[in-house]
Amino acid sequence: DAMVIQNPRYQVTQFGKPVTLSCSQTLNHNVMYWYQQKSSQAPKLLFHYYDKDFNNEADTPDNFQSRRPNTSFCFLDIRSPGLGDAAMYLCATSDRTVAPDTQYFGPGTRLTVL
Amino acid sequence: AQSVTQLDSQVPVFEEAPVELRCNYSSSVSVYLFWYVQYPNQGLQLLLKYLSGSTLVKGINGFEAEFNKSQTSFHLRKPSVHISDTAEYFCAVSDRDDKIIFGKGTRLHILP
């Protein structure tokens, strides 16, 4: 089945230690998104890629970076995680050629910062 | 600017009873509306979406929603809930700029 895969499902890191979360998709969608979701809150968009074009949300901290080396993969890098960065991180994809953009989500990676 | 308001943060319902989860939106342009469900420790799954046409939209798992433009609402309904419907439900709006604005979510508790 075509899907959005996130690895790992659970990630533990130490305060200040860089961490990378991974997302891959078999849907061949041209848009990939990263969201941060804290407990009992709505997902918050961090940034998205349309093909290779990177679109950062204005309020996304510089501590968060992203890479998309090819259509299938997208990475979220947190350069110096703080305790406030503990959250569920959701990857999603959509196909801009299909109107409107309906997003398909991966299962998420729960990040714990010690 | 768009926004989504989910009026209830939690809704308790007895099993096999009907349920309605309320959602209101505001937007200055035509919008597309979505309901997503999130089971514990999982990602979001699309339940249904309104694009255009019929205002009554049927989705998966027996859910449906009705788009009401005059009341700017998109309430989600199910005639008979099951214990497996226990989850968080998010209403969302998009105006085709590649972004979805989510509501704060409604936690559905199914009581035995």
Side-chain angles (χ1 to χ4, degrees):
Chain A
D1 288 341
M3 54 199 305
V4 181
I5 302 162
Q6 291 189 244
N7 286 306
R9 293 292 313 278
Y10 300 89
Q11 176 74 56
V12 179
T13 190
Q14 292 179 328
F15 182 94
K17 184 175 181 181
V19 66
T20 294
L21 309 183
S22 169
C23 177
S24 64
Q25 54 133 339
T26 61
L27 298 161
N28 203 34
H29 283 172
N30 46 28
V31 190
M32 295 187 78
Y33 307 79
W34 279 105
Y35 289 87
Q36 180 192 64
Q37 186 182 24
K38 296 190 176 181
S39 182
S40 300
Q41 295 185 23
K44 178 181 179 298
L45 182 63
L46 296 174
F47 26 59
H48 73 278
Y49 275 94
Y50 173 39
D51 289 330
K52 294 188 176 185
D53 293 333
F54 178 69
N55 299 271
N56 197 32
E57 293 301 297
D59 57 353
T60 298
D62 292 341
N63 198 26
F64 292 87
Q65 304 285 319
S66 186
R67 297 169 283 135
R68 189 180 186 186
N70 53 53
T71 300
S72 300
F73 285 87
C74 195
F75 300 98
L76 169 62
D77 301 308
I78 309 177
R79 294 193 296 188
S80 182
L83 297 179
D85 297 327
M88 174 79 90
Y89 290 88
L90 298 168
C91 175
T93 72
S94 70
D95 185 347
R96 189 182 278 194
T97 59
V98 176
D101 287 341
T102 300
Q103 296 186 17
Y104 297 86
F105 284 80
T109 295
R110 183 168 295 283
L111 178 67
T112 300
V113 182
L114 301 177
Chain B
Q2 303 167 78
S3 68
V4 178
T5 302
Q6 292 184 244
L7 297 164
D8 305 300
S9 59
Q10 297 190 61
V11 173
V13 182
F14 285 105
E15 196 169 13
E16 297 184 6
V19 68
E20 179 179 81
L21 305 184
R22 298 181 293 170
C23 173
N24 288 89
Y25 70 93
S26 65
S27 176
S28 58
V29 299
S30 297
V31 295
Y32 304 105
L33 294 158
F34 308 84
W35 275 98
Y36 283 86
V37 60
Q38 186 175 33
Y39 299 103
N41 288 314
Q42 294 189 26
L44 277 68
Q45 180 182 5
L46 182 66
L47 270 180
L48 49 80
K49 58 186 177 184
Y50 172 77
L51 312 179
S52 64
S54 174
T55 57
L56 183 63
V57 181
K58 293 191 182 296
I60 62 171
N61 300 343
F63 284 93
E64 64 181 31
E66 186 155 18
F67 171 62
N68 188 319
K69 188 174 182 179
S70 62
Q71 297 187 8
T72 60
S73 68
F74 191 55
H75 301 332
L76 180 71
R77 292 191 284 262
K78 185 170 183 178
S80 176
V81 296
H82 188 266
I83 195 75
S84 60
D85 294 321
T86 298
E88 187 100 22
Y89 292 80
F90 291 95
C91 182
V93 62
S94 169
D95 67 357
R96 292 207 63 191
D97 68 350
D98 288 332
K99 295 181 185 178
I100 286 181
I101 306 298
F102 287 94
K104 292 187 175 182
T106 297
R107 188 171 297 274
L108 180 60
H109 295 281
I110 308 301
L111 307 172

